[in-house]
């Protein structure tokens, strides 16, 4: 029985450049991270499951408009919000995911419903939305997802005819969480609006088990953030798990190889949060910063943005 309950969360690897960050804005980001982390940790503390903990933490980040998921999701190239999410449990390695969904307030909850009640792993677009309605998920009008800041980013990206990763020039979005519960079970969840001005129908790494999200009780739980196309090609989350399982590397060693070497070699900018079955946490990134926070029973407690 593991007692080192742990949680780590992220709010995206594309942080606002240090030069444009104000103390007020930084305080808001930190508040959003702390609230989500503590909500997830509270679940673990009262003996709840890691799946519940990551769902609660990610839903809190989705509800927080500064992060690119749920409310605050970025605009695609036709001015819509198309969201992706995934959740996975490490004990059974069951997974549920949705991609290209619109109007769903909390895509992570829909992903969980897919995992537990659809008989499938990944549902897309209208089919996922229909399933969500049948499952009693909460939906909202476009206005709920609209934020002025995202609209301006999209207009800027349109003008320059480029696809952009979240906030500004080279910014990623996405939120995610990983956790180890008191039963020794790992879980991971990720949710994203994707990339600003992405092509209608584009899907990144976040909802793909093994790429942006993965959990396996034998190794670790991982949630990624970064340039999805590269994370898909590098099958990042599963690669880290494999390095641990087949080469006997520690979580930190495996993360370092994938994030600071393999990804860098193909131009894959971003990072991830990870926890292993002992409750050890790693939060590596190769971008300027990554909104991140963690907490565990051994006293680890951090809320960080830059290196
Ligand atoms: N990985 C996400 C995607 O490509 C974006 C991000 O993490 O910001 O959809």
């Amino acid at each position: 029985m593991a007692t080192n309950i742990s949680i780590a969360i992220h709010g995206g690897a594309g942080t606002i450049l240090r030069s444009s960050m104000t103390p007020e804005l930084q305080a808001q980001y930190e508040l959003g991270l702390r609230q989500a982390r503590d909500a997830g940790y509270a679940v673990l503390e009262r003996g709840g499951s890691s799946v519940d903990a990551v769902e609660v933490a990610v839903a809190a980040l989705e509800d927080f408009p500064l992060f690119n998921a749920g409310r605050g999701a970025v605009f695609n190239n036709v001015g819509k919000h198309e969201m992706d999410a995934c959740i996975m449990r490490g004990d059974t390695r069951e997974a549920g995911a949705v991609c290209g969904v619109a109007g769903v307030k909390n895509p992570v909850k829909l992903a969980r419903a897919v995992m537990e009640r659809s008989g499938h792993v990944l549902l897309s677009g209208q089919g996922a939305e229909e399933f969500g309605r049948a499952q009693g998920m909460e939906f909202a009008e476009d206005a709920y997802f609209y934020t002025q800041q995202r609209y301006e980013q999209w207009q800027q990206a349109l003008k320059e005819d480029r696809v952009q990763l979240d906030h500004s020039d080279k910014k990623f979005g996405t939120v995610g969480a990983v956790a180890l519960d008191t039963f020794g079970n790992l879980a991971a969840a990720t949710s994203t609006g994707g990339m600003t001005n992405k092509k209608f129908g584009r899907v990144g790494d976040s909802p793909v088990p093994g790429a942006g999200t993965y959990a396996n009780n034998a190794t670790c739980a991982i949630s990624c953030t970064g340039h999805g196309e590269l994370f898909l090609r590098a099958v990042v989350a599963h690669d880290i798990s494999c390095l641990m399982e087949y080469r006997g590397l520690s979580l930190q060693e495996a993360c370092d190889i994938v994030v600071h070497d393999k990804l860098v070699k193909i131009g894959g900018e971003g990072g991830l949060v990870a926890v292993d079955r002992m409750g050890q946490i790693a939060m590596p990134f190769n971008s300027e910063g990554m909104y991140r926070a963690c907490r565990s029973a051994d006293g680890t407690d951090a809320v960080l943005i830059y290196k």
Side-chain angles (χ1 to χ4, degrees):
M1 182 115 148
T3 47
N4 193 23
I5 53 171
S6 297
I7 188 163
I9 67 165
H10 69 79
T15 51
I16 284 183
L17 293 180
R18 223 187 265 262
S19 51
S20 343
M21 182 63 95
T22 62
E24 295 74 31
L25 194 55
Q26 179 154 347
Q28 280 185 51
Y29 276 112
E30 287 171 357
L31 176 73
L33 288 169
R34 189 169 290 112
Q35 282 174 344
R37 179 200 65 175
D38 291 347
Y41 193 76
V43 172
L44 300 172
E45 252 185 334
R46 53 173 188 265
S49 72
S50 52
V51 184
D52 285 342
V54 295
E55 182 189 337
V56 161
V58 167
L61 293 162
E62 287 174 338
D63 293 344
F64 197 79
L66 284 182
F67 298 116
N68 172 20
R71 187 174 197 191
V74 298
F75 288 87
N76 68 7
N77 71 343
V78 293
K80 298 267 182 228
H81 306 282
E82 279 188 311
M83 300 173 288
D84 308 328
C86 181
I87 191 163
M88 183 160 180
R89 48 188 307 152
D91 53 355
T92 59
R93 273 182 284 156
E94 285 170 290
V98 291
C99 63
V101 294
V104 187
K105 266 190 168 178
N106 291 110
V108 71
K109 295 185 184 173
L110 181 52
R112 181 158 182 184
V114 170
M115 175 170 80
E116 293 177 348
R117 300 195 287 273
S118 76
H120 298 294
V121 169
L122 176 55
L123 292 184
S124 72
Q126 272 185 9
E129 291 159 22
E130 237 169 66
F131 174 73
R133 287 202 177 83
Q135 292 293 320
M137 293 289 142
E138 244 189 291
F139 280 71
E141 297 298 313
D142 279 358
Y144 172 83
F145 299 93
Y146 180 96
T147 52
Q148 185 63 25
Q149 175 211 7
R150 298 294 186 210
Y151 184 75
E152 282 162 18
Q153 281 163 7
W154 174 49
Q155 290 300 310
Q156 190 64 28
L158 265 184
K159 218 163 44 191
E160 293 163 17
D161 192 24
R162 61 189 163 81
V163 179
Q164 169 172 300
L165 300 159
D166 196 18
H167 307 272
S168 59
D169 198 22
K170 253 280 181 143
K171 296 303 191 281
F172 310 89
T174 301
V175 306
V178 292
L180 172 71
D181 65 28
T182 180
F183 310 103
N185 289 325
L186 291 164
T190 310
S191 180
T192 189
M195 289 157 62
T196 296
N197 207 27
K198 66 183 180 182
K199 275 202 172 45
F200 176 56
R202 176 266 188 190
V203 178
D205 60 314
S206 310
V208 179
T213 310
Y214 190 67
N216 181 346
N217 272 9
T219 54
C220 59
I222 298 202
S223 170
C224 299
T225 168
H227 195 150
E229 280 69 10
L230 284 305
F231 277 64
L232 272 167
R233 285 165 46 200
V235 203
V236 169
H238 190 243
D239 196 20
I240 291 172
S241 173
C242 288
L243 286 168
M244 295 176 71
E245 188 170 1
Y246 305 147
R247 277 182 57 191
L249 300 189
S250 71
L251 178 68
Q252 191 64 54
E253 288 167 337
C255 285
D256 284 346
I257 289 175
V258 174
V259 175
H260 297 298
D261 184 37
K262 288 179 153 192
L263 267 175
V264 172
K265 281 182 180 142
I266 59 169
E269 193 180 343
L272 55 91
V273 292
V275 61
D276 69 13
R277 60 205 172 94
M278 309 307 293
Q280 294 298 311
I281 290 167
M283 304 194 288
F285 55 95
N286 60 32
S287 43
E288 176 172 315
M290 179 170 78
Y291 299 111
R292 62 200 188 279
C294 62
R295 193 164 160 195
S296 56
D298 68 7
T300 304
D301 183 330
V303 178
L304 299 161
I305 299 179
Y306 299 104
K307 284 198 172 110

